[in-house]
Amino acid sequence: MQALVTTISRKESVLFELSSAENAPVKKKKSSGTHPLLQKEFSHDKRLPEISETQLVRHFYRLARLNYSWEDGLYPLGSCTMKYNPLLNDKLASDADISALHPSHPEEYVQGAMQLIHELESDLCTILDLPGITLQPAAGAHGELAGVFMMRAYFAEHSENRNTILIPDSAHGTNPASAAMAGFTVEKVPTNEQGTLNLDILRKKITNDTAALMLTNPNTLGLFEKDIIEIKSILNEYGALLYIDGANLNALMGKVSFGKMGVDLTQLNLHKTFSTPHGGGGPGQGALLCSERMLPYLPSPQITKDERGLYRFVKPDKTIGKMKQTYGQFSVMVRAWAYIKSKGKDLSRVTEKAVYNSNYLKERLSRKLNLSSSLPTLHETVFDQSTLKKYGATTKNLAKALLDRGFYAPTVYFPLNVDGAIMVEPTETESLDELDAFTSAIFDIFELLETEPEKILQAPFKTPVRNIDETQAARQPVLTWQKVQV
Ligand SMILES: *Cc1c(COP(=O)(O)O)cnc(C)c1O
């Protein structure tokens, strides 16, 4: 089975280009003696394009079809966990009683909403086996920043001046950015040949100036950092904290105790693992969880339940303050709450299926593509471009040829420690048929590289825009429409 190519090749004009006086639905405000009730609807603003309803609806429908969406097929973007989110969760989040809530409503009026937040917080604490949480951060990276601020507050409280954070070279780019934004110096720790943290180098780099190690686990190669207990004991020797970037929880949920790993701080992306369409630019949510010793520094407010069973906002002792107005993205919390409650005890099966699906693709695709590591992988797999290079092709050619075959491309050229990385994450929501269709598309690309390589090297052929100049697109973006062509 081959997925349908839904892109259309026609160039779509902007509305101002389609505009002409002939097309205007109503030429003068008081035309045609329409009933006054209807006339109100036909107000006319000269600055807007003059265009008929038919043209308008078709214009937006065509534009919508230029998008690739989950409804079209697999989104194999590694590290992003682009998966299907049950519509039930969206329905709940848009329920009138929920969407009409206002953040300034007094506590007594929003007890139900506070109960939902409190339940979600305690479910997440149970899943990770950690005692503290805030749901304020608006994204994963924002959760990291909150975590790094908490480290600062912790060391200030203990009268220690520590300025360095160790980060492996396989880390997500947001980790060094968050550390630097909070004023820390970032020290890179190279990974070993297999792609996991190099403990010898960690021992050499760690000093009494080290505030923390920020480790992604499973890391960006989809590998579990199995030396975590030893890593933790090295950190303990120097009084440094362990921060885990837990954005990839799809691989660990219900299987691993963050408490037992000795984690001090970790952020999760509710918009990746716990339902909420992400990819449209948000809103997202980065829950930040912490160990006992970090509790006093959590952002304010926190929600507690008092002895009368009422929910109250409280301020932790040595709080770092607010990371966001009020208490975070409530609609994302509703979706996450609904997701966890509807899965119930089956939550760990999500992890199992995500890992099975990924390993199935790994097994099949490794007949053509070269694996970046020989270690067992979890929810995603990273290949390098060595087998493509034999045909004079690159990762970019493979990605573009996949677009012609109706698939979104995998994450490419990340992580940076793999040559021409191709990072594939199918997630648990894909069927065997879809995984097989994706495999066939890749096999087809290799077959053509043997017989008619130009069909791959010149790809894409079927997308509305073919090969763009990516450098110019970044340096001279044309962001507004003007009559003058650039
Ligand atoms: C997605 C991701 C992030 C960043 O999350 P945002 O919500 O995009 O800010 C950080 N770390 C890892 C490992 C990720 O996969």
Side-chain angles (χ1 to χ4, degrees), residues 87-143:
L87 294 175
L88 171 69
N89 305 345
D90 276 345
K91 193 165 171 248
L92 267 180
S94 35
D95 181 276
D97 283 346
I98 287 177
S99 58
L101 289 173
H102 191 278
S104 307
H105 277 140
E107 285 172 5
E108 325 54 286
Y109 294 173
V110 290
Q111 284 292 305
M114 291 174 76
Q115 179 180 355
L116 184 145
I117 300 176
H118 196 259
E119 283 182 20
L120 173 61
E121 290 183 338
S122 82
D123 283 350
L124 291 170
C125 285
T126 307
I127 293 167
L128 267 73
D129 193 18
L130 286 172
I133 183 169
T134 174
L135 291 173
Q136 271 185 39
H142 200 208

Side-chain angles (χ1 to χ4, degrees), residues 162 164-166 187-189 199-213 230-241:
R162 295 182 181 235
T164 311
I165 293 187
L166 302 177
E187 179 91 40
K188 237 201 240 177
V189 189
L199 296 200
D200 292 336
I201 300 189
L202 174 66
R203 278 196 195 87
K204 280 190 197 125
K205 296 233 166 185
I206 193 164
T207 67
N208 290 327
D209 188 51
T210 306
L213 169 73
E230 198 177 338
I231 290 171
K232 176 69 184 174
S233 75
I234 299 172
L235 295 175
N236 278 347
E237 258 174 64
Y238 288 84
L241 301 171

Side-chain angles (χ1 to χ4, degrees), residues 380-424:
E380 64 193 4
T381 309
V382 183
F383 302 94
D384 65 32
Q385 63 181 350
S386 56
T387 57
L388 289 161
K389 271 185 163 168
K390 283 188 203 143
Y391 300 99
T394 61
T395 290
K396 181 175 157 186
N397 297 134
L398 177 92
K400 301 283 185 196
L402 276 169
L403 303 185
D404 277 346
R405 283 155 185 77
F407 288 100
Y408 202 82
T411 296
V412 292
Y413 299 100
F414 177 81
L416 304 175
N417 55 346
V418 173
D419 177 44
I422 302 158
M423 188 188 209
V424 183

Side-chain angles (χ1 to χ4, degrees), residues 170 195-197 216-225 248 379-380:
S170 61
T196 54
L197 193 74
T216 305
N217 201 10
N219 70 21
T220 42
L221 292 176
L223 308 172
F224 187 75
E225 295 281 355
N248 294 324
H379 65 303
E380 64 193 4

